[in-house]
Amino acid sequence: MLRYFLRRLLLLIPVLLGVSVVIFSIVHLAPGDPAEVMLGPSATQEDIANLREQLGLNRPLYVQYGAFLGNALRGDLGRSMRSNAPVVEEIMDRFPATLTLAVLGMAFAIGIGLPLGLLAALKQNTWIDALCSFVALAGFSIPNFWIALMLMLLFSIYIPILPSSGIDSWKNLVMPTIVLGVQTMAVIARMTRSSMLEVIRQDYVRTARAKGISDRLVLTRHILSNVMIPVVTIAGLYFGHSLGGVVVTETVFSIPGLGRLIVDAIRSHDYPVVQGGVLFFALCVGVVNLLVDMLYAALDPRIKAQYRAAR
Amino acid sequence: MNSAGRSYSTLAACGVAGEKRRSPWWEVWRRLRRNRAALVGMGVIIMLVMVAILAPVLTPYDPNKTDMKARLQRPSLSHPLGTDNFGRDMFSRVLYGSRISLYVGFVAVGIGAIFGGVLGAVGGYYGGRLDNFIMRCMDVLLAIPQIILAIAIVGALGTSLVNLMIAVGISQLPRYARVVRASALTVRGQEFVEAARAVGARDVRIIVENILPNCMAPIIVQSTLGVAQAILSAAALSFLGLGIQPPTPEWGSMLSAGRQFLRQAPYLSFFPGLAISIVVLALNIFGDGLRDSLDPKLRQ
């Protein structure tokens, strides 16, 4: 198990290297001179030339990339052009808020999505199933920024019980949690429903029932443990993807997190922050996927057995 | 997507099993017709396309004509969805918005499906190192959340309609590559591909004439769902101010503009969002139905 974990961790390295090439190319091959953009329209040619020299923009691209990569490996992602603070510091300042949101969003997604999917499957082809399935499909289709605005309208303006911005108390986090979690919730509900429908028709479930085990025990011991396997995989993979949702959520609710950091950095052409931020996001997605794989192995005895055999 | 290979075989099976040798697509349509939800979704999409085409005839006002005397009016008979802070008619703007959204959605998916499809087909057909290289590149793109990749591209290229479509298209590219590759892998071993090779057809021709047509089923399903995703992403980018800029009537940027007036004029945010939701919902329902019809085995 540990060996597998380490191997997977090593496999993350080429992906991150690839991401660094992609994001470096996007930022540096783009039209427009960063030095010119930073100094604004009133800058003289001399100022621009000086700044270019200072930022190392006159060197060939591969040299610049080499320097970027070398520094990144030592944990130095450069300095923000706006605040002049180290990019790593900026990211770490913002990370706790994003992490909190992401964890809460996931908890919401599982807490609502799982029961919704189970209910739909247990009541297959009834109006309850139709309703649950529609809620799931709607959650997947309605833009999260619209949900955000409508929640604000409802709970901050019409019935003012929740604040619409900041992160001072738990109340601030209620709406962002829903907005961030709703898409994953929909995916989990759909996945749970189809997985559940498959499992309840399996022979081992019939056998368990035939043995006279109570319905509840069959559900918890025999059905749920098997339903969870595909759900965890999909939910985990989707979770990495849904981390992108923090961009919208943090912007709408004025939460100082990573998503907003990247959007602000793009708006103000703060390239080191964009590079570092995207790289950090990719790292998070990679780590989440890795954890999901570990969880997957822990949930499925067949896979665990494979590792044992491999050793 | 493991359904990809199966869809193909189902299609082929339909063609062989039909007593009257009906085309496999006819079979798909026959199954689709029985799925009421999918038909409703398809109806809504057709209606929206009509609205987009006929927008100049259907709209009572010029969507960009400002009228400062008629600012922030509530929905009424003369302005069914109210007016915005420049006195522009929201009904006309929402109708015109369908043009931009559908346009961006279809073109972005076109970009993603064509480039992704070619990469996937080439990888799946040749296999080996080339395939490995292409798929590792796709893994890299997949490691960055789609919306963040799109934001980075649009941020670098600058905000414009074309750049928005490119950004959304590239961010969707890996999923087409994967789907097509999976199909190409199952097709490349079939007899007709070997036959084509035996008569001396060149690789390019085999890919274009044999491999790609046989990957159409999963590509179509993925594209339908992809248009929905693309419309959502494009609207999100515009909402963040990184997509289509005002005064162009685009749903995402209209929502963003309406945000400042959430208290005074909530309808400014309500209707554009409702429009996006309806389009995306219709596309998703239709896409789901299409997948079930192409691959009945998956249906519960």
Side-chain angles (χ1 to χ4, degrees):
Chain A
M1 197 74 186
L2 185 70
R3 264 179 57 188
Y4 176 73
F5 178 78
L6 289 176
R7 229 194 65 174
R8 282 290 316 267
L9 205 61
L10 285 178
L11 280 177
L12 206 58
I13 295 170
V15 172
L16 286 178
L17 270 178
V19 171
S20 74
V21 173
V22 168
I23 191 64
F24 186 85
S25 318
I26 291 176
V27 167
H28 285 260
L29 297 177
D33 182 353
E36 223 175 293
V37 174
M38 272 174 75
L39 291 170
S42 58
T44 64
Q45 283 301 319
E46 204 185 333
D47 289 341
I48 293 172
N50 281 340
L51 189 66
R52 282 186 66 86
E53 189 61 44
Q54 201 188 322
L55 294 172
L57 294 172
N58 291 326
R59 293 178 295 170
L61 216 53
Y62 65 88
V63 176
Q64 288 185 51
Y65 175 73
F68 165 70
L69 192 65
N71 289 333
L73 287 176
R74 271 176 271 131
D76 174 13
L77 292 168
R79 282 176 177 274
S80 160
M81 290 180 173
R82 260 188 320 167
S83 65
N84 204 31
V87 173
V88 175
E89 213 169 86
E90 293 241 344
I91 290 175
M92 285 306 147
D93 278 353
R94 308 288 195 105
F95 185 52
T98 300
L99 186 67
T100 312
L101 253 188
V103 171
L104 286 175
M106 197 64 202
F108 170 82
I110 296 172
I112 307 285
L114 203 62
L116 212 61
L118 290 179
L119 193 64
L122 289 173
K123 306 275 175 193
Q124 196 195 0
N125 296 330
T126 63
W127 65 271
I128 298 178
D129 178 23
L131 183 71
C132 292
S133 299
F134 183 77
V135 168
L137 198 63
F140 193 65
S141 304
I142 300 176
N144 53 1
F145 44 90
W146 191 53
I147 297 179
L149 291 184
M150 292 302 110
L151 286 176
M152 265 186 192
L153 189 64
L154 198 60
F155 296 113
S156 300
I157 295 176
Y158 290 153
I159 319 165
I161 46 170
L162 294 171
S164 65
S165 64
I167 43 162
D168 310 315
S169 79
W170 64 269
K171 280 187 175 176
N172 294 78
L173 292 171
V174 176
M175 289 194 285
T177 298
I178 297 174
V179 171
L180 188 64
V182 74
Q183 271 212 356
T184 315
M185 177 276 283
V187 172
I188 291 180
R190 284 168 60 123
M191 195 63 214
T192 308
R193 179 178 178 275
S194 64
S195 168
M196 178 83 178
L197 286 177
E198 209 163 286
V199 171
I200 47 179
R201 290 191 174 81
Q202 296 289 327
D203 290 341
Y204 55 77
V205 173
R206 198 173 305 134
T207 311
R209 283 231 172 83
K211 282 196 298 185
I213 301 177
S214 73
D215 275 358
R216 224 183 112 176
L217 214 59
V218 173
L219 185 70
T220 49
R221 285 209 58 113
H222 296 266
I223 298 182
L224 276 187
S225 54
N226 283 295
V227 165
M228 285 313 287
I229 295 168
V231 172
V232 164
T233 319
I234 298 289
L237 289 179
Y238 200 80
F239 179 61
H241 170 80
S242 79
L243 273 180
V246 298
V247 171
V248 167
T249 315
E250 291 174 357
T251 308
V252 177
F253 293 104
S254 314
I255 294 168
L258 269 184
R260 229 181 99 200
L261 180 73
I262 292 185
V263 173
D264 288 346
I266 291 213
R267 285 200 187 124
S268 57
H269 302 274
D270 192 346
Y271 301 113
V273 174
V274 175
Q275 270 173 188
V278 173
L279 204 56
F280 189 75
F281 255 105
L283 178 70
C284 294
V285 173
V287 169
V288 168
N289 287 348
L290 185 61
L291 291 177
V292 170
D293 266 13
M294 295 289 115
L295 190 62
Y296 181 63
L299 274 176
D300 193 339
R302 284 167 299 190
I303 296 187
K304 220 189 302 183
Q306 262 177 30
Y307 294 136
R308 294 237 173 82
R311 228 175 7 179
Chain B
M1 290 252 159
N2 52 5
S3 67
R6 268 189 280 163
S7 320
Y8 160 71
S9 51
T10 322
L11 266 184
C14 297
V16 178
E19 302 106 41
K20 280 200 240 160
R21 284 198 66 204
R22 280 176 175 139
S23 101
W25 293 110
W26 195 88
E27 283 294 322
V28 170
W29 167 238
R30 200 178 55 83
R31 279 198 290 270
L32 189 67
R33 252 184 348 200
R34 276 185 275 161
N35 186 338
R36 242 186 305 160
L39 284 186
V40 171
M42 193 173 85
V44 172
I45 298 164
I46 293 175
M47 213 177 74
L48 276 160
V49 172
M50 298 299 286
V51 164
I53 295 170
L54 298 175
V57 187
L58 295 173
T59 50
Y61 303 90
D62 177 345
N64 289 322
K65 191 169 169 282
T66 56
D67 178 3
M68 291 320 250
K69 276 179 289 180
R71 290 181 75 228
L72 297 174
Q73 285 187 2
R74 286 170 174 279
S76 63
L77 277 178
S78 55
H79 296 287
L81 306 184
T83 60
D84 69 4
N85 51 321
F86 293 107
R88 294 176 296 204
D89 179 50
M90 281 300 281
F91 180 66
S92 307
R93 289 180 71 72
V94 169
L95 286 197
Y96 265 91
S98 63
R99 288 189 150 190
I100 306 269
S101 277
L102 290 175
Y103 184 45
V104 172
F106 282 108
V107 175
V109 164
I111 294 172
I114 290 173
F115 288 98
V118 168
L119 285 173
V122 167
Y125 178 70
Y126 287 107
R129 277 196 194 157
L130 182 67
D131 179 36
N132 209 358
F133 176 73
I134 292 175
M135 292 329 284
R136 292 300 79 76
C137 290
M138 295 301 119
D139 285 350
V140 166
L141 287 184
L142 281 172
I144 310 172
Q146 207 175 315
I147 185 99
I148 291 182
L149 182 61
I151 286 176
I153 296 173
V154 121
L157 296 177
T159 50
S160 76
L161 179 65
V162 176
N163 292 345
L164 179 70
M165 295 190 291
I166 293 175
V168 176
I170 292 180
S171 68
Q172 284 207 347
L173 197 144
R175 48 159 127 180
Y176 296 98
R178 286 192 154 189
V179 164
V180 174
R181 174 179 176 269
S183 305
L185 278 177
T186 61
V187 179
R188 75 167 179 184
Q190 309 259 343
E191 279 95 351
F192 61 87
V193 175
E194 256 168 58
R197 215 176 284 143
V199 296
R202 276 185 302 175
D203 286 351
V204 176
R205 190 170 159 189
I206 295 177
I207 290 176
V208 173
E209 287 184 7
N210 299 96
I211 305 273
L212 281 178
N214 281 296
C215 306
M216 277 331 272
I219 295 184
I220 290 172
V221 170
Q222 192 64 36
S223 302
T224 314
L225 300 170
V227 172
Q229 274 299 314
I231 289 177
L232 274 184
S233 302
L237 287 177
S238 299
F239 179 76
L240 293 171
L242 295 166
I244 289 155
Q245 302 296 315
T248 311
E250 196 274 344
W251 294 333
S253 66
M254 280 157 73
L255 256 173
S256 169
R259 214 176 126 193
Q260 298 161 1
F261 303 95
L262 198 55
R263 194 176 289 270
Q264 296 161 266
Y267 46 87
L268 291 185
S269 312
F270 181 76
F271 292 114
L274 187 66
I276 304 174
S277 305
I278 291 173
V279 180
V280 176
L281 197 61
L283 281 163
N284 278 335
I285 292 177
F286 178 61
D288 273 0
L290 203 58
R291 182 177 45 209
D292 290 344
S293 317
L294 283 166
D295 192 356
K297 269 181 280 179
L298 274 184
R299 208 162 174 186
Q300 299 292 340

